[in-house]
Amino acid sequence: MIFNFISDYLKHRFTSKSRHGTHSPFVYKLTDEVIYDFSPKNDYKSIEAQRKKLFNDHSEVTVTDLGAGSHLNKNRVKKVSQIAKNALKNPRLAQLIYRLAKDNNPKNIIELGTCLGITSAYLSKAVPDADVITVEGCPQTAKVAYKNFQELDLDNVELQVGNFDLLFPEIIERADRLDFVYIDGNHRKQATIDYFNWCLPKVHEGSLLIFDDIYWSKGMKEAWEEIKSHPDVTVTVDLFWIGLVYFRKGQAKEHFKIKY
């Protein structure tokens, strides 16, 4: 599996483009002003300080994994520091998701896969006026995330704990529409396709769906291709680590691979 992942990464590097190879004005602007904006932001500092605290937290939690699990550590009892090292999105990716949220300026944000809450914090800080709902399957990691939210003084985040398959449809049902959805959990083909299909009745022209780990496995790659081919999808951006899905009406269907 690791060999296939490395092979896919190298292939992506050779076939993807920078902003200068992108002919779509929308994707060029997105790449130039959002994806490749590596300037420091004040919001990053407190969240990265919290990440460092997690790296030094050697307390143990019992992990309940309802998804596809981890390639790195299959033990059920793990140190918080191990989870922080192996499971958290690295700063470069977490900050990209922050910029994507800030650029999209959604009224509501849904995240599937809270983990320890670092990416949730980035989403909260990116759009302080948005309602952020984040869902975590593991009660003990959710407790750590909740503590992080308190220490970062985040007041626009609602943390729900339980099975995505049960909670996500309820969250969608209550929403008038879906503005920004980040799916980072249960990396199985059918689950990913189900989550996408559940979102469709509530997406609109300004919606952004982000799928994490689209090269995680053969099944995830197949799920990504199926999502791309859906007639409601007009633009996708494949950044290898994550895939962006847009529903911009009146725009020709195009798929982009961007180096990141």
Side-chain angles (χ1 to χ4, degrees):
M1 184 175 286
I2 296 298
F3 174 80
N4 290 335
F5 186 80
I6 293 171
S7 175
D8 286 334
Y9 176 74
L10 293 174
K11 189 182 301 181
H12 190 277
R13 293 295 294 178
F14 283 118
T15 58
S16 57
K17 301 179 183 299
S18 69
R19 61 184 176 273
H20 299 298
T22 303
H23 302 297
S24 162
F26 166 70
V27 177
Y28 181 93
K29 185 174 185 292
L30 178 73
T31 305
D32 187 51
E33 298 181 4
V34 181
I35 296 173
Y36 288 169
D37 175 13
F38 297 113
S39 61
K41 307 283 190 292
N42 286 332
D43 285 339
Y44 297 171
K45 296 177 183 178
S46 60
I47 300 174
E48 288 309 311
Q50 198 70 19
R51 184 195 298 268
K52 287 181 181 178
K53 289 176 65 175
L54 293 170
F55 283 161
N56 293 313
D57 184 347
H58 300 300
S59 61
E60 293 185 337
V61 296
T62 301
V63 176
T64 304
D65 194 343
L66 302 177
S70 168
H71 289 332
L72 297 174
N73 190 337
K74 297 294 185 182
N75 296 327
R76 291 196 67 216
V77 177
K78 300 181 183 182
K79 292 182 178 180
V80 170
S81 57
Q82 290 176 304
I83 299 171
K85 178 182 177 182
N86 295 333
L88 290 180
K89 284 288 162 285
N90 64 48
R92 194 166 182 263
L93 271 174
Q95 289 163 12
L96 169 60
I97 292 166
Y98 165 97
R99 296 193 301 273
L100 289 165
K102 198 171 189 68
D103 178 68
N104 186 264
N105 194 28
K107 292 183 179 179
N108 60 71
I109 296 173
I110 301 170
E111 176 189 39
L112 294 189
T114 314
C115 194
L116 302 178
I118 292 298
T119 304
S120 318
Y122 271 111
L123 290 169
S124 170
K125 293 277 190 179
V127 197
D129 294 331
D131 295 322
V132 181
I133 298 176
T134 182
V135 184
E136 173 55 38
C138 173
Q140 291 204 18
T141 54
K143 285 183 181 178
V144 178
Y146 184 72
K147 181 181 177 184
N148 288 329
F149 298 159
Q150 289 181 311
E151 292 182 3
L152 289 167
D153 197 25
L154 306 179
D155 58 8
N156 64 331
V157 180
E158 176 187 341
L159 174 59
Q160 297 191 17
V161 182
N163 190 312
F164 295 173
D165 293 352
L166 300 177
L167 294 178
F168 193 31
E170 294 177 358
I171 294 168
I172 294 171
E173 180 65 27
R174 291 197 302 269
D176 293 331
R177 65 183 198 168
L178 301 179
D179 295 336
F180 188 102
V181 180
Y182 173 46
I183 296 175
D184 180 20
N186 196 351
H187 298 336
R188 294 188 176 99
K189 176 182 177 179
Q190 192 56 53
T192 302
I193 292 170
D194 287 345
Y195 300 156
F196 169 74
N197 286 330
W198 294 347
C199 289
L200 287 178
K202 296 289 182 77
V203 299
H204 55 92
E205 187 170 3
S207 297
L208 170 57
L209 307 186
I210 302 178
F211 291 88
D212 198 83
D213 289 325
I214 55 175
Y215 288 88
W216 174 274
S217 63
K218 181 175 181 288
M220 283 299 293
K221 288 186 286 185
E222 291 171 351
W224 176 242
E225 290 302 319
E226 188 165 330
I227 289 166
K228 286 167 58 178
S229 67
H230 193 279
D232 289 351
V233 173
T234 55
V235 175
T236 66
V237 180
D238 174 351
L239 295 163
F240 186 78
W241 310 104
I242 59 175
L244 315 182
V245 179
Y246 293 91
F247 304 85
R248 295 168 56 83
K249 294 178 181 177
Q251 183 158 337
K253 193 177 187 74
E254 291 185 276
H255 306 296
F256 299 87
K257 284 186 178 181
I258 302 295
K259 286 186 174 69
Y260 189 71

